[in-house]
Amino acid sequence: MEENEVQGGGFTLHCADGSNISVTEVSALAVDSEQWKQCFTEVIDDGQGFRGYVTSLDQLSALILNYEDSTNSKYSAVTTKFKNFGETGLKQNPHPRFSSATDTDQAGVLPFDGIPFVFLNAKRWDCQYGPDRHIKDKAKSKAESVRKNAERATPRKLTTKVRDARKISCPQGIVAKEVVKFPKFKVDLTAKSQECQRRRSSKNVKAAIEQGDQGERRIYVSLPSLNGHNHIVGDVVSVCEEIIQGQIEMFRYTTDIYRGIQVCSKDITCDTIQEFGTRLQENIYQWEQDGVRGVWFKIRLVDATLVGEIAKHGFRFHHAQSDYVMMVRWLPTNEPDKLPSFANHYIGVGGLVFNSFGQMLVIKELYAEPGNRLWKMPGGSVDTGEHLSEAVVREVSEETGIRTEFKSVLCFRHMTMFRHGQSDFYFVCLLEAQNQDITPCPTEIADAKWMDIDDFLSSNEVGSLNKEIIRMYQENKYAIHTEPFDKYEIYSVQE
């Protein structure tokens, strides 16, 4: 019997005085609670959870039934060490045992109290979704059917199918141990040497049994904690049954090549937040069973009330846009979170525009820090869906009214820790002006004009980076040209 799988736990019981204890975890209840003591004949707490004992099979049956009812869980008996559990008789010349912190009870059922006892029997109840203990018999039966069919003169197509068990190898279970204890022969646990006491106590126990002493019969019970199951338990335990029967109402989702899925709030209809939370928990369970790795949950701005409930189920923020927020959760527990972070850089463009006289177009921004309103090339941020060539032509036109034709990318610079701690790329593009008359944008530009390159390089109102870019342009005979290809722009260095 696998006793080392059992953990301490908690439940709700109907007590003998008619009162009830209803808790999610037993550890939340004080060990010295008089109400709790009425549920078991005695309660034990060794830091690993609460256990206790009953004195009859009727009490044991009532205890397990109350536990199942209060936790919405089910257990089935799978093994007993001997027959007649609960009614096992004492054998002559028994071997008394002593619970200790190291050598007696791996399942954590019996207390460390120094009282000698005689072990009679043990029993285990598996969770209803525990291991399939008949899998070998099923495989053997199937192999036998195949063998017999092969021996037929005319083998026929096998139509029988072994029914799959509703098992997902949940490790939790209930363990009970039937013992007879002899408190009057208790060993002093504070003594430096207990070996002599144990031998003397053991001899006394054997003598007492020979004289008809039946001791105190007890059935010690260890109940599992709710959070030790590998499936949903508690108020939504029926989810497991519904999933097995295919009754779960799954959210609509799209899949990706990495075994991830994306769900959008626009495809979900729930009357209440509580209903949504229950359905989300059901879906998460099913996704885990299906081997889904990453879940991307897109919540529209109009559905923002769902964010708090989604966060309660282990989702974190990934990124946000003006009309939605994306939340994510990594489901596998046996591999690190591999969900990629959101875009971590900005892209800007600047236009080096020349007119027919060889002058360059420069601007001063309306919004600039005091003392930092310098002459610079027009430009701005690349919008979503724009190519560099499109963005720089648009920005120059918006800021100065100058229509241009894109020629090439001259260079780009990169910097870290830009806006919101992200990186920034700035591409300088060579443009050819199509008109001469400047019309500065009144909401963005303080001044704009055509300027000779020599004046630009010698001016105290030009930043060092802009000067360096112009020097590189004068000295470098190469440029990065672009060629459209399908939905892409391909850039290459050419003379």
Side-chain angles (χ1 to χ4, degrees):
M1 185 177 74
E2 295 294 328
E3 297 177 349
N4 57 357
E5 295 179 353
V6 182
Q7 302 176 8
F11 45 87
T12 304
L13 287 179
H14 306 295
C15 300
D17 62 357
S19 59
N20 296 327
I21 298 176
S22 179
V23 291
T24 302
E25 290 294 330
V26 178
S27 57
L29 191 63
V31 69
D32 58 353
S33 168
E34 293 300 325
Q35 196 175 25
W36 172 259
K37 290 181 180 179
Q38 295 176 27
C39 300
F40 275 124
T41 304
E42 179 181 319
V43 65
I44 303 101
D45 176 23
D46 61 359
Q48 297 180 354
F50 291 90
R51 307 181 310 277
Y53 73 85
V54 294
T55 58
S56 70
L57 286 177
D58 290 341
Q59 292 179 359
L60 176 62
S61 297
L63 181 64
I64 294 176
L65 285 174
N66 280 313
Y67 175 64
E68 291 178 328
D69 289 344
S70 61
T71 60
N72 287 325
S73 58
K74 295 295 180 183
Y75 298 82
S76 57
V78 294
T79 180
T80 55
K81 197 169 186 66
F82 306 107
K83 295 181 179 179
N84 303 320
F85 178 84
E87 300 176 354
T88 312
L90 275 170
K91 296 181 180 180
Q92 294 298 315
N93 195 26
H95 177 64
R97 303 183 185 184
F98 297 85
S99 293
S100 71
T102 59
D103 64 0
T104 301
D105 187 47
Q106 294 180 347
V109 178
L110 298 178
F112 173 37
D113 57 8
I115 300 177
F117 65 91
V118 176
F119 174 79
L120 300 180
N121 211 337
K123 191 171 184 178
R124 176 182 173 84
W125 292 257
D126 271 351
C127 170
Q128 63 177 333
Y129 300 112
D132 186 355
R133 298 183 181 273
H134 302 289
I135 191 167
K136 291 183 179 179
D137 293 336
K138 293 175 182 177
K140 184 177 179 180
S141 175
K142 184 176 182 180
E144 182 67 13
S145 297
V146 172
R147 184 188 64 79
K148 290 182 177 180
N149 187 55
E151 293 176 352
R152 295 176 181 271
T154 306
R156 61 187 180 184
K157 183 178 180 181
L158 294 177
T159 57
T160 57
K161 180 180 179 181
V162 178
R163 179 180 178 272
D164 292 332
R166 299 175 178 182
K167 303 290 185 179
I168 55 176
S169 298
C170 178
Q172 295 294 65
I174 299 172
V175 167
K177 290 191 173 182
E178 182 187 8
V179 301
V180 174
K181 304 199 82 171
F182 296 86
K184 61 183 178 181
F185 302 121
K186 182 177 181 179
V187 172
D188 184 5
L189 299 177
T190 62
K192 292 183 179 180
S193 176
Q194 300 176 13
E195 189 61 33
C196 292
Q197 291 189 59
R198 289 191 179 203
R199 285 199 296 266
R200 186 183 310 113
S201 178
S202 179
K203 186 181 297 185
N204 291 335
V205 168
K206 291 180 180 180
I209 292 174
E210 289 177 358
Q211 295 173 9
D213 190 342
Q214 295 298 307
E216 295 181 9
R217 187 177 293 266
R218 301 177 182 179
I219 301 175
Y220 283 91
V221 187
S222 178
L223 300 167
S225 61
L226 294 180
N227 56 10
H229 293 269
N230 65 359
H231 57 86
I232 304 170
V233 293
D235 293 337
V236 290
V237 72
S238 58
V239 168
C240 298
E241 194 71 24
E242 291 175 356
I243 287 174
I244 291 170
Q245 297 175 2
Q247 297 174 1
I248 290 300
E249 185 178 357
M250 299 299 295
F251 295 148
R252 290 179 57 189
Y253 59 82
T254 57
T255 60
D256 58 39
I257 61 175
Y258 305 103
R259 296 212 318 270
I261 63 173
Q262 178 169 320
V263 184
C264 185
S265 61
K266 69 180 179 63
D267 298 322
I268 299 172
T269 302
C270 292
D271 294 332
T272 64
I273 293 292
Q274 291 74 19
E275 178 190 350
F276 169 75
T278 299
R279 287 188 58 194
L280 177 57
Q281 189 170 15
E282 295 170 354
N283 276 257
I284 290 173
Y285 178 81
Q286 184 61 54
W287 293 331
E288 289 174 333
Q289 302 308 306
D290 293 342
V292 172
R293 300 171 79 217
V295 181
W296 301 76
F297 211 124
K298 183 177 181 180
I299 304 100
R300 300 181 303 170
L301 183 62
V302 294
D303 302 319
T305 53
L306 300 179
V307 169
E309 187 66 27
I310 296 172
K312 290 179 182 178
H313 289 79
F315 284 77
R316 58 180 172 81
F317 291 118
H318 186 267
H319 68 272
Q321 298 293 337
S322 60
D323 58 346
Y324 77 89
V325 61
M326 184 71 77
M327 300 182 72
V328 295
R329 177 175 170 182
W330 181 255
L331 297 183
T333 57
N334 59 350
E335 59 177 311
D337 187 340
K338 297 181 180 179
L339 292 176
S341 61
F342 189 52
N344 57 4
H345 57 264
Y346 292 89
I347 297 180
V349 289
L352 179 54
V353 185
F354 289 100
N355 61 14
S356 57
F357 302 102
Q359 296 174 308
M360 61 179 292
L361 181 63
V362 295
I363 56 120
K364 281 187 176 182
E365 292 180 323
L366 181 63
Y367 300 100
E369 296 179 2
N372 197 34
R373 185 174 289 172
L374 305 176
W375 291 111
K376 57 178 290 188
M377 291 172 282
S381 298
V382 177
D383 288 342
T384 301
E386 275 189 320
H387 289 299
L388 297 177
S389 57
E390 299 168 336
V392 69
V393 169
R394 173 186 55 77
E395 282 288 345
V396 170
S397 176
E398 290 176 353
E399 292 184 349
T400 66
I402 297 298
R403 302 184 305 277
T404 61
E405 180 184 354
F406 176 84
K407 293 298 183 180
S408 66
V409 175
L410 296 176
C411 64
F412 70 89
R413 71 105 177 96
H414 173 253
M415 67 178 294
T416 60
M417 300 306 294
F418 184 55
R419 188 178 299 123
H420 305 302
Q422 304 302 312
S423 297
D424 178 63
F425 286 95
Y426 177 67
F427 291 83
V428 179
C429 304
L430 180 63
L431 305 177
E432 183 179 297
Q434 303 295 306
N435 62 309
Q436 301 289 324
D437 296 331
I438 299 174
T439 306
C441 176
T443 60
E444 294 185 43
I445 305 302
D447 195 4
K449 66 178 183 179
W450 296 103
M451 180 183 289
D452 291 334
I453 289 183
D454 291 341
D455 293 339
F456 186 83
L457 293 174
S458 62
S459 174
N460 294 326
E461 293 185 277
V462 177
S464 58
L465 176 63
N466 279 270
K467 289 182 179 180
E468 183 62 23
I469 289 173
I470 297 303
R471 291 193 189 98
M472 291 175 62
Y473 165 71
Q474 290 179 319
E475 298 172 0
N476 195 350
K477 59 180 180 179
Y478 295 96
I480 304 173
H481 293 266
T482 181
E483 180 179 347
F485 178 79
D486 194 13
K487 61 180 180 180
Y488 310 102
E489 279 194 347
I490 299 178
Y491 294 86
S492 60
V493 178
Q494 300 178 25
E495 188 172 353

